[in-house]
């Protein structure tokens, strides 16, 4: 079938209340019209910041399962696809940093998050008053998380970090088979070495109430021939959330100890594979869980880096600071890493949702 004409697109737009859904975009693309071109045809009417924010508020207030959500989402999605290439060009970031090859793929990631977003704001004014927090939410849960998990250069660091961690575990086993502890804090007899770690991109726990809830953001996971599992947990936090990470780390073992199972989504051979692991199968170093938090560079760090000259795009997502941190309140030690990325660059990519 030949590509659709502007008249065809206009007719579809009229029947869809001047909006389009992601499904419509993909259908049009299947018939020869590129998603960005269709979005452009449907989003030529300028929209001011107040109008965009009103549209976004209506979207996040609508029922995630209702027909209204689809219509509103279509309008937001159209503008995002049109404006995202320019927004990306305004930053040092590239598509490679997010592990995607087109801006349409990036738009898919953002739109997918919007399909599930809600707000407790009782009015548009209240929603706008908390807009900075809303932006941090979507930046952290979509863009920063995606960059940390899929930037190729950062992946090399994470993989080496996981390999070094498993090497320490294997050295302890070779020295003393009961060197590792279970989730209950008791020694486990582990005599077989662990294989190479694999990247974990999602972790959830099935609780005692049979409800599945999100757990740790990220990590590295290795298994040995005895079916013991060694896990390096990693949290991803923006600056304002860093203060609470020690408390979150302190809940790690207690939550695991009462869970029925841990569901780890692991990258194997380029594909996502789920492993269902009983908490009793997990083992840890005696004095170090390896808990790590990754955060973007602070505004002060970015300023210092800029003072030395322009930021080289090839250095984006590189580690600029790494070391141990200690929580006196929780009497625990963990590790903290800073990666070269400015939160404002990430916010630039979602600005089409709220500002022209």
């Amino acid at each position: 079938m030949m590509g659709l004409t502007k008249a065809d697109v206009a007719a579809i737009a009229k029947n869809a209340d001047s909006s389009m859904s992601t499904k419509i975009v993909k259908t049009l693309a299947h018939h020869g019209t590129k998603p960005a071109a269709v979005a452009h045809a449907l989003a030529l009417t300028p929209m001011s910041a107040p109008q965009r924010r009103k549209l976004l508020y209506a979207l996040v207030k609508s029922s995630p399962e209702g027909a209204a959500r689809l219509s509103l989402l279509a309008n937001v999605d159209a503008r995002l696809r049109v404006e995202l290439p320019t927004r990306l060009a305004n930053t040092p970031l590239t598509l490679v940093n997010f592990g995607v090859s087109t801006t349409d793929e990036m738009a898919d990631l953002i739109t997918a998050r919007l399909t599930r977003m809600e707000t407790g704001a009782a009015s548009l004014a209240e929603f706008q008053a908390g807009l900075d927090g809303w932006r941090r939410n979507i930046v952290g849960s979509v863009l920063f998380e995606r960059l940390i998990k899929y930037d190729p250069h950062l992946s090399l660091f994470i993989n080496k970090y996981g390999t070094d961690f498993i090497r320490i575990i294997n050295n302890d086993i070779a020295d003393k088979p009961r060197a590792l502890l279970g989730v209950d804090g008791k020694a486990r007899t582990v005599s077989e070495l662990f294989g190479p770690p694999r990247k974990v991109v999602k972790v959830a726990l099935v609780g005692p109430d049979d409800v599945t809830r999100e757990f740790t953001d990220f990590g590295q996971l290795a298994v040995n021939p005895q079916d013991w599992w060694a896990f390096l947990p990693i949290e991803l936090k923006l600056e304002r959330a860093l203060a609470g990470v020690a408390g979150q780390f302190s809940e790690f073992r207690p939550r695991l100890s009462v869970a029925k199972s841990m569901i780890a989504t692991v990258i194997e051979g380029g594909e996502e594979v789920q492993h269902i692991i009983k908490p009793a199968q997990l083992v840890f170093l005696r004095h170090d869980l390896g808990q790590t938090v990754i955060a973007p560079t602070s505004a002060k760090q970015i300023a210092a880096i800029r003072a030395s000259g322009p930021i080289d795009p090839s250095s984006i997502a590189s580690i600029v600071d790494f070391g141990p941190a200690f929580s006196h309140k929780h009497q625990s030690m963990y590790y903290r890493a800073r990666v070269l990325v400015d939160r404002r660059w990430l916010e630039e990519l979602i600005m089409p949702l709220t500002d022209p």
Side-chain angles (χ1 to χ4, degrees):
M1 183 173 179
M2 298 297 290
L4 300 178
T5 66
K6 284 189 177 181
D8 296 326
V9 173
I12 292 173
K14 182 178 180 180
N15 291 332
D17 297 325
S18 299
S19 65
M20 68 171 183
S21 68
T22 303
K23 291 181 180 179
I24 293 175
V25 173
K26 290 181 178 179
T27 299
L28 293 174
H30 180 71
H31 292 304
T33 303
K34 294 182 179 179
V38 178
H40 184 69
L42 295 179
L44 294 179
T45 303
M47 183 176 279
S48 66
Q51 289 173 317
R52 292 178 191 231
R53 294 172 187 186
K54 183 178 180 180
L55 174 64
L56 180 62
Y57 176 65
L59 170 65
V60 296
K61 284 297 285 187
S62 65
S63 168
E65 308 301 326
R69 170 68 64 113
L70 187 61
S71 177
L72 293 164
L73 185 65
N75 197 323
V76 171
D77 180 82
R79 295 181 186 280
L80 183 62
R81 290 176 190 276
V82 171
E83 298 178 23
L84 193 52
T86 300
R87 298 288 186 170
L88 183 64
N90 289 338
T91 77
L93 299 166
T94 67
L95 294 172
V96 173
N97 295 128
F98 300 96
V100 298
S101 56
T102 68
T103 51
D104 277 321
E105 289 180 64
M106 284 200 67
D108 286 341
L109 295 172
I110 297 170
T111 300
R113 182 70 179 94
L114 291 174
T115 62
R116 308 188 304 274
M117 291 197 82
E118 298 179 79
T119 180
S123 67
L124 175 59
E126 184 181 341
F127 177 70
Q128 291 190 115
L131 201 56
D132 283 346
W134 185 88
R135 287 196 185 102
R136 284 194 298 273
N137 184 336
I138 195 167
V139 161
S141 64
V142 179
L143 299 177
F144 182 63
E145 185 169 317
R146 179 76 192 188
L147 180 141
I148 299 302
K149 292 179 179 180
Y150 293 96
D151 177 88
H153 292 103
L154 186 55
S155 290
L156 293 176
F157 169 82
I158 297 294
N159 291 341
K160 184 179 184 305
Y161 184 38
T163 298
D164 290 344
F165 182 73
I166 296 303
R167 183 181 298 115
I168 293 171
I169 286 180
N170 283 338
N171 288 341
D172 278 12
I173 293 172
D175 185 55
K176 186 179 180 182
R178 289 178 63 80
L180 304 182
L181 302 181
V183 70
D184 58 2
K186 297 179 180 179
R188 298 288 190 267
T189 301
V190 183
S191 55
E192 299 284 344
L193 300 183
F194 287 87
R198 288 161 281 184
K199 181 165 69 174
V200 184
V201 294
K202 184 178 180 181
V203 187
L205 289 185
V206 179
D209 55 2
D210 291 318
V211 175
T212 302
R213 298 178 177 87
E214 291 183 358
F215 190 38
T216 300
D217 290 328
F218 191 36
Q220 295 270 295
L221 191 66
V223 65
N224 81 345
Q226 295 171 290
D227 210 25
W228 292 112
W229 293 80
F231 180 44
L232 171 66
I234 301 176
E235 288 291 337
L236 310 178
K237 299 292 183 187
L238 296 183
E239 187 70 25
R240 291 193 180 184
L242 269 179
V245 75
Q248 187 171 341
F249 280 152
S250 71
E251 298 171 356
F252 180 81
R253 275 209 237 199
R255 287 187 64 189
L256 265 179
S257 65
V258 298
K260 289 187 175 180
S261 60
M262 184 178 90
I263 305 172
T265 302
V266 178
I267 301 296
E268 295 180 358
E271 301 291 331
E272 292 189 356
V273 178
Q274 280 194 346
H275 290 281
I276 300 177
I277 303 166
K278 297 296 183 183
Q281 295 173 273
L282 290 163
V283 289
F284 305 93
L285 289 170
R286 187 171 292 273
H287 301 295
D288 188 356
L289 295 179
Q291 292 173 308
T292 303
V293 59
I294 300 179
T297 40
S298 66
K300 184 177 180 179
Q301 287 173 314
I302 285 289
I305 293 170
R306 286 189 181 279
S308 302
I311 294 176
D312 183 351
S314 66
S315 68
I316 301 300
S318 61
I319 300 295
V320 298
D321 185 38
F322 178 81
F326 186 78
S327 169
H328 292 282
K329 179 179 179 180
H330 298 283
Q331 289 297 297
S332 62
M333 192 270 287
Y334 58 96
Y335 301 92
R336 181 171 56 213
R338 296 274 194 174
V339 298
L340 179 50
V341 61
D342 191 330
R343 178 172 60 85
R344 291 170 295 183
W345 302 341
L346 301 173
E347 288 185 346
E348 176 73 18
L349 305 185
I350 62 167
M351 291 304 282
L353 306 179
T354 59
D355 294 270

